[in-house]
Amino acid sequence: MILTFGLILSMGYEVLKITSLGSRSLLHIASAIMFMNLNIGIYASYFKKIKRSIIYYLAAAIFIPLLLFLTSSLKAELSLSIIEFAAVCISWLLISPYIGETIKHRVSLIIYLCIVVGNAETDLWQTEKWILIIFDILPVIYYFILLLILIERFITMFQSVVNSSLLDGLTGLYNRKAISTRIKQCVEKGECAIVFTDIDNFKELNDTLGHHAGDAALKTVAEILQEETDDIGFPGRYGGEELIAVIDDKDTISRIEEWAENFRSRVERESNVTLSIGFSIYRYGLTPEKLLEQADLSMYSAKRTGKNKIVEYKDGLDTGSI
């Protein structure tokens, strides 16, 4: 809302400037208000709440010079120039460091200061045409930089929304919905292996060392799984302490037990937990749900027959035998 208002003001300011409908004082006021709204709007696109200090300082930047002007201590144009300069200083100190695009934003502030200087009526600007041309170009550069900042911010926000719908918040792995979609795609392709893993004694770890220790262990295992599936599969968190890898690389599928053992041993060496692992390889006629169920049964078989081991699904391995 603030950003939209700022953009409308900026367009109005440029219309006044081009058509020469407004006095110089009116242009200064419009420029200052436009500048403040745009910069507060940019800040608001990064934070839901605007710091009160920013509002207070901007209010002081407006009212102190105006008060001096009303008491005849300063000339009108000088008062308004102080407002613009103070607004730039406040934006430099209180907005730029916090928006993620500090360098671009500060470059835009410097350009805006140059625009303020260029708006002053002096003989120099009127006699030197090349300087006038530069000052005519500066607003275009200023708005272009602000546009870049906003586009990059909106792209980041869009990516965040997309990632939140696909990724698990704790581990950064793909979530259950994304994993289910990937399994269906692999089954349609005809080349797929599912490796289902469960962290051994995870409840005891949470109960004895606390949930932060459990979360740390889960993140460590997730990082190793992500590294091990790079370019060969799709790592995910299926739920709780259960992680899953959907492997679609033909060469890796042919030696899937070796791959699973390498993953298991890495976790044992590099963390304070062990894994029970089960896997199932796609065979013609299997549905995605059945393939996943087979890997799940294999994992529970590993868990109930000693833990810290790998079990391959074979015909006859069912709930009864587990």
Side-chain angles (χ1 to χ4, degrees):
M1 182 67 179
I2 297 172
L3 187 58
T4 303
F5 185 56
L7 291 171
I8 293 171
L9 282 175
S10 65
M11 288 187 286
Y13 166 74
E14 293 301 329
V15 169
L16 286 174
K17 188 177 175 183
I18 293 169
T19 59
S20 301
L21 291 176
S23 65
R24 297 202 63 78
S25 295
L26 180 60
L27 285 174
H28 273 289
I29 293 170
S31 174
I33 295 174
M34 171 271 295
F35 174 83
M36 292 174 188
N37 274 274
L38 280 176
N39 283 277
I40 292 176
I42 289 172
Y43 182 89
S45 71
Y46 283 83
F47 303 97
K48 290 181 180 179
K49 275 192 170 183
I50 299 173
K51 289 182 179 179
R52 288 184 180 179
S53 58
I54 294 176
I55 303 297
Y56 294 153
Y57 284 123
L58 285 175
I62 296 172
F63 290 115
I64 291 175
L66 281 179
L67 183 62
L68 293 172
F69 164 61
L70 292 173
T71 57
S72 300
S73 298
L74 290 175
K75 292 181 179 179
E77 194 158 329
L78 180 57
S79 298
L80 295 168
S81 295
I82 290 174
I83 291 176
E84 292 173 309
F85 180 76
V88 169
C89 292
I90 291 166
S91 296
W92 185 285
L93 295 172
L94 298 181
I95 295 179
S96 291
Y98 304 105
I99 64 169
E101 294 290 343
T102 302
I103 295 175
K104 286 190 183 73
H105 188 253
R106 284 183 170 169
V107 168
S108 76
L109 296 179
I110 293 170
I111 292 173
Y112 180 77
L113 269 182
C114 293
I115 294 171
V116 171
V117 173
N119 286 337
E121 286 192 36
T122 66
D123 293 336
L124 178 62
W125 312 149
Q126 301 304 320
T127 56
E128 299 292 338
K129 289 186 178 180
W130 66 273
I131 295 180
L132 287 173
I133 292 171
I134 290 174
F135 283 132
D136 285 339
I137 294 173
L138 284 179
V140 177
I141 299 173
Y142 173 69
Y143 290 122
F144 178 73
I145 292 173
L146 289 184
L147 184 63
L148 278 181
I149 293 172
L150 291 172
I151 289 174
E152 288 178 11
R153 178 56 183 159
F154 291 148
I155 289 173
T156 301
M157 292 170 68
F158 177 75
Q159 288 176 335
S160 178
V161 171
V162 172
N163 287 342
S164 66
S165 67
L166 295 176
L167 303 182
D168 173 64
L170 177 64
T171 62
L173 301 180
Y174 290 98
N175 59 27
R176 186 168 183 161
K177 182 180 179 181
I179 282 290
S180 297
T181 301
R182 186 61 176 175
I183 292 172
K184 289 178 182 178
Q185 292 172 346
C186 283
V187 167
E188 289 174 1
K189 182 181 173 183
E191 292 180 353
C192 185
I194 295 180
V195 180
F196 222 124
T197 74
D198 186 272
I199 298 177
D200 296 327
N201 306 313
F202 190 74
K203 185 177 183 303
E204 288 80 354
L205 178 65
N206 276 332
D207 292 342
T208 55
L209 298 179
H211 288 283
H212 66 281
D215 289 347
L218 195 54
K219 287 179 183 179
T220 301
V221 176
E223 287 173 6
I224 296 172
L225 180 60
Q226 202 155 31
E227 291 172 8
E228 291 295 325
T229 53
D230 189 33
D231 292 331
I232 64 163
F234 200 76
R237 183 184 182 191
Y238 201 70
E241 69 273 26
E242 295 179 342
L243 304 181
I244 188 171
V246 182
I247 309 298
D248 60 2
D249 178 69
K250 189 174 182 180
D251 181 60
T252 306
I253 292 172
S254 66
R255 52 182 183 83
I256 191 66
E257 189 164 6
E258 178 188 338
W259 179 90
E261 174 55 30
N262 182 61
F263 171 52
R264 186 205 63 78
S265 61
R266 267 199 69 185
V267 170
E268 188 175 23
R269 289 194 312 270
E270 300 176 23
S271 72
N272 61 339
V273 295
T274 59
L275 299 178
S276 295
I277 299 176
F279 70 89
S280 178
I281 301 173
Y282 173 76
R283 291 173 295 171
Y284 180 77
L286 284 177
T287 63
E289 294 77 17
K290 190 64 178 177
L291 183 63
L292 182 63
E293 180 187 346
Q294 291 178 353
D296 189 34
L297 289 172
S298 302
M299 181 270 289
Y300 275 104
S301 177
K303 202 166 188 66
R304 297 182 185 185
T305 57
K307 300 180 181 179
N308 193 25
K309 61 189 292 188
I310 300 166
V311 172
E312 177 185 2
Y313 180 83
K314 295 180 179 177
D315 290 338
L317 181 67
D318 55 23
T319 307
S321 62
I322 296 174

